[in-house]
Amino acid sequence: MTRRAVLSLSLTLYRSHPKLRLETDGRPVAIHGPNGAGKTNVLEAISMLSPGRGLRRAAAEEIARRPEALGWKVAARLETPGDLHEVETSVDLSKGAARSVRIDGKTAPQTRLGALAPVVWLTPAMDRLWIEGAGERRRFLDRLALAFEPDHAEAALAYEKAMRERNRLFKDDIRDPAWFAALEGRMAEAGAAMALTRARTLARIARAQDGAATAFPAAELSLDGPLEQGFAAAFAPGAPGAPDLDPAPDPAEAAETLRRALRDGRPRDAAAGRALTGPHRTDLLAIYAEKGVEARIASTGEQKALLVSLVLSAARAMAAEAAAPPVILLDEVAAHLDENRRAALFDEVCALGAQAWMTGAEARLFEALGPRADALALGAAADRG
């Protein structure tokens, strides 16, 4: 087995689905049906098989089917390179909003999901990615980074936790330098690890774009965070060690740089009540390479094509590096793609050997897939046993 695929999916009291069970054979899955049929809910449930809050970033209590549910559950049989796994994630709201994970019958941390089943996605809400705030672009990049390096989730969690505690010191008017130094040390170590993974992810995508036979435009990507820029220089073509990603640069120097910046920035951060320096402020920048224009001023169709291109490039890089591409979720994939581009997307997904779960209002949108995909119709009732 050299692929990643969801072979069975069971939802219990999950949004519009009181009970739903789907079986697949590992091919791409094309889901069609009217608005309100629960198509996006299926994709969101699959996204819960990875760390985090899923493709909608919803709170656990928002997901449970109302009014009867006091929780929800997603269960799946996953095919991974060389193995099969039973995965279950659920929330019991009577015991709080914490999400539990079980892998092959054993309790596991959410971060373990990242190594088991990398998942990447595109949703209609992301169509405005290049023209909205930097936060959404960071999340997009971090999702791709997580698909390559599951430890990225732990570094991000450690950084966010230490940053929240440092911000609380400012709020509570605590000025103990020892407390600040300890938290800034944790932020610096985790932040340097985050920056390194982000830079390495962009290098992977750039190399996957280079010479690829694709109908989608290449993007020249960069990061405006100083730590990421330093690491990116180490991975640039012609740099010592390039084109290999290993051995990686030592993050210790970057961590020390961030630690000093946090220490020196305490007065300014105290006035603002939050950290104004660090990887939580990094932005992902893109240029439509063929035209030499920034993604933010490209046409709507070009912006969508760039997003598709980045996801496909990341999947190609993972297929080359980790034996199989990630599971890909493409919600309302036909939006802003003409018939030729849509057919090209299907061809590239199939050539990758990726299991992509795609949604659309009408079956005709997926005609170019033919027998290469498993077609699934969801009706308005959205109740399947």
Side-chain angles (χ1 to χ4, degrees), residues 70-93:
L70 290 176
W72 51 267
K73 182 169 73 173
V74 176
R77 183 160 55 97
L78 297 180
E79 179 180 344
T80 65
D83 214 343
L84 289 171
H85 297 277
E86 301 291 334
V87 177
E88 177 183 301
T89 183
S90 61
V91 169
D92 183 348
L93 293 174

Side-chain angles (χ1 to χ4, degrees), residues 245-261:
L245 295 175
D246 291 313
D250 184 355
E253 183 177 348
E256 177 58 22
T257 297
L258 179 55
R259 187 194 65 78
R260 288 197 301 267

Side-chain angles (χ1 to χ4, degrees), residues 16-191:
S16 61
H17 299 290
K19 185 177 181 182
L20 177 70
R21 182 172 177 83
L22 305 175
E23 300 281 346
T24 83
D25 58 11
R27 287 180 295 165
V29 180
I31 305 174
H32 67 274
N35 292 338
K39 303 183 299 295
T40 302
N41 295 342
V42 172
L43 268 58
E44 183 191 35
I46 296 171
S47 74
M48 290 297 178
L49 301 175
S50 64
R53 294 169 58 182
L55 59 80
R56 284 190 178 112
R57 292 183 54 78
E61 57 270 20
E62 297 174 19
I63 295 172
R65 181 178 172 84
R66 296 297 188 182
E68 68 269 31
L70 290 176
W72 51 267
K73 182 169 73 173
V74 176
R77 183 160 55 97
L78 297 180
E79 179 180 344
T80 65
D83 214 343
L84 289 171
H85 297 277
E86 301 291 334
V87 177
E88 177 183 301
T89 183
S90 61
V91 169
D92 183 348
L93 293 174
S94 68
K95 299 179 180 178
R99 181 155 73 100
S100 65
V101 173
R102 294 181 66 83
I103 299 175
D104 296 327
K106 299 179 180 178
T107 301
Q110 276 193 48
T111 50
R112 175 76 178 92
L113 294 172
L116 195 64
V119 183
V120 296
W121 55 74
L122 287 178
T123 70
M126 296 166 68
D127 289 350
R128 296 177 57 82
L129 186 81
W130 303 116
I131 59 177
E132 293 192 336
E136 291 301 319
R137 290 187 287 277
R138 278 195 302 274
R139 278 189 280 272
F140 174 73
L141 172 60
D142 285 340
R143 172 55 51 181
L144 297 182
L146 181 62
F148 289 103
E149 301 185 42
D151 288 348
H152 187 63
E154 295 183 4
L157 287 172
Y159 181 86
E160 292 288 339
K161 184 175 185 294
M163 183 172 64
R164 286 195 304 269
E165 292 178 7
R166 182 174 180 266
N167 290 347
R168 192 175 299 118
L169 294 183
F170 291 133
K171 181 180 179 180
D172 295 341
D173 198 29
I174 295 173
R175 296 292 184 263
D176 187 332
W179 285 21
F180 277 99
L183 292 173
E184 288 161 1
R186 285 157 51 190
M187 287 177 67
E189 182 178 353

Side-chain angles (χ1 to χ4, degrees), residues 195-196 199 223-236 239 249 254:
L196 175 58
L223 294 162
D224 73 351
L227 297 186
E228 288 92 346
Q229 289 174 350
F231 287 130
F235 298 131

